Amino acid sequence: MKAIWKGAISFGLVNIPVKMYSASESNTLDLDMLRKGDHCPVHFKRVCESDGKEIPYEDIVKGYKVKGGEYVILDDKDFENANVEKTHRIDLIHFVNETDVNSVFYEKPYFLEPEKSGVKPYALLREAIKKSKKVGIGKFVMKNREHVGVIKLFNDAIIFNQMRFPDEVRSDSGLKLPSSNDLSAKEVEMAITLIKQLSHKFTPKDYKDTYNEELMKVIELKAKGKKIKPSGKIPKPTNTKNLMTLLKASINKKAA
C-alpha cells in the first residue's frame, strides 16, 4: 500500500508520527463508457475553455477568482501555510462514547501506521482507547480541505474514520414520515419477535457482494447472444390489512 498522508496524531502533548493508508477499496465491475452508435470508447479530457486545447495535468494550477475577474494562483505551499499544524497533524480534540456518534456522519476509513519513532506511543494510545472504551474526535487537513473524523480501533490498527461535517448531512425535515399512532401493541410485539429471531452476532465475512457475480452472468449470456431472464421479482408493497398475517407467517417461517 502507498501512504496518502504523513503526519502525527496529537494526543495531548504527545505527537505520534504516522502514515495514512486508505482502508477501503471498490470491487465493482470495470465498465467502460462507449458511444451508443458504434461503441467507440469515451474518455474525459481536460480542455481549455478559450481554445478547446487539451491541457496536460502538470500544466494545471489552482486559482481563486477575486474581484475584477482576476485569479489568485495557489500552490501546495500556500495551502500548507494556511495552517502548517493542521496539514501535518491529526489533532485529537475530544474523546466520546462511540454510540454517541451517529453512523450517518461516517464517510471513509483510513489505516494509521506508526513511523519507527512512534511505535511505543502508538501502542500506548491503542491500549488507552481499548481500555477506556472511548473513541477520539480529531481534525486535520488533507488535499486542501479540513476533515473531521473518529480515531478508533480495527483489530490491532488505529484507524481514522473520516466523517461528514454537520452541514454536509441533510435534514430529514422535508421527508413525509409516518407517526406510530396507528400501530397496535400486538403489531409492535410481533415485529420485535421477528427481530429477535433474526438477531445474530455481527460477523463481516457473512456479508458478500453477490450482485457483481449476478451481473457477470448477464454479461456472459449476452456475449453468447442468449436471452436474459430477470432474476427475482420486484417486491410488492405490503397491504396494511395483511400486516399481522405477514408478521405471523414470517415468524413461523423462521421458526420452521
Side-chain angles (χ1 to χ4, degrees):
M1 290 190 290
K2 183 179 179 181
I4 60 173
W5 181 85
K6 291 183 180 182
I9 305 172
S10 176
F11 177 46
L13 296 178
V14 178
N15 289 320
I16 309 168
V18 294
K19 297 176 183 177
M20 178 180 283
Y21 303 86
S22 178
S24 61
E25 61 184 8
S26 175
N27 291 317
T28 56
L29 291 181
D30 187 15
L31 301 176
D32 294 330
M33 293 186 299
L34 309 171
R35 186 163 56 189
K36 187 176 180 179
D38 58 4
H39 299 170
C40 173
V42 176
H43 298 287
F44 287 109
K45 292 184 178 181
R46 297 173 291 271
V47 298
C48 175
E49 288 187 4
S50 301
D51 56 24
K53 292 182 179 179
E54 186 175 356
I55 307 169
Y57 184 79
E58 60 270 18
D59 289 344
I60 295 177
V61 296
K62 293 181 179 179
Y64 183 84
K65 186 183 285 187
V66 294
K67 290 182 180 180
E70 295 295 321
Y71 282 96
V72 175
I73 305 303
L74 300 170
D75 57 27
D76 291 342
K77 200 65 181 175
D78 294 319
F79 290 111
E80 182 179 341
N81 288 339
N83 193 311
V84 175
E85 288 187 357
K86 285 185 177 181
T87 55
H88 292 275
R89 186 176 75 179
I90 298 173
D91 191 15
L92 292 182
I93 308 165
H94 299 120
F95 281 86
V96 302
N97 295 322
E98 186 173 0
T99 53
D100 290 343
V101 185
N102 195 303
S103 60
V104 73
F105 290 103
Y106 287 129
E107 190 169 12
K108 188 176 181 181
Y110 294 95
F111 288 128
L112 297 176
E113 177 190 60
E115 300 273 18
K116 287 184 179 180
S117 59
V119 170
K120 185 175 181 178
Y122 182 98
L124 175 64
L125 176 59
R126 182 182 61 197
E127 195 66 17
I129 291 174
K130 186 185 300 182
K131 293 193 173 180
S132 69
K133 297 180 180 178
K134 299 279 187 179
V135 295
I137 305 296
K139 291 172 69 179
F140 82 118
V141 170
M142 181 174 68
K143 295 181 179 178
N144 314 329
R145 187 185 170 196
E146 187 165 31
H147 300 280
V148 63
V150 168
I151 291 286
K152 55 187 294 188
L153 304 185
F154 180 77
N155 298 328
D156 288 332
I158 296 176
I159 66 170
F160 180 88
N161 203 323
Q162 183 180 310
M163 296 195 304
R164 300 173 179 89
F165 284 100
D167 60 359
E168 295 176 316
V169 178
R170 291 178 173 176
S171 170
D172 63 355
S173 60
L175 302 177
K176 296 178 181 178
L177 303 174
S179 71
S180 302
N181 296 336
D182 294 334
L183 298 175
S184 69
K186 187 63 178 176
E187 286 172 332
V188 175
E189 182 184 334
M190 295 287 284
I192 292 173
T193 299
L194 182 55
I195 286 175
K196 288 179 179 178
Q197 285 191 348
L198 294 170
S199 294
H200 184 74
K201 182 181 178 181
F202 176 67
T203 308
K205 66 179 182 180
D206 290 343
Y207 308 96
K208 183 182 178 183
D209 180 0
T210 58
Y211 179 72
N212 274 354
E213 296 174 2
E214 293 159 345
L215 182 57
M216 200 63 221
K217 291 178 182 178
V218 171
I219 293 172
E220 290 169 355
L221 288 172
K222 289 202 77 172
K224 295 175 181 177
K226 295 185 178 180
K227 188 176 181 180
I228 309 298
K229 294 182 180 180
S231 175
K233 297 179 180 179
I234 298 175
K236 296 179 180 179
T238 295
N239 188 322
T240 54
K241 293 180 180 179
N242 299 330
L243 194 54
M244 277 297 292
T245 302
L246 291 171
L247 283 169
K248 288 179 181 178
S250 299
I251 292 170
N252 293 334
K253 181 180 178 182
K254 182 63 181 176

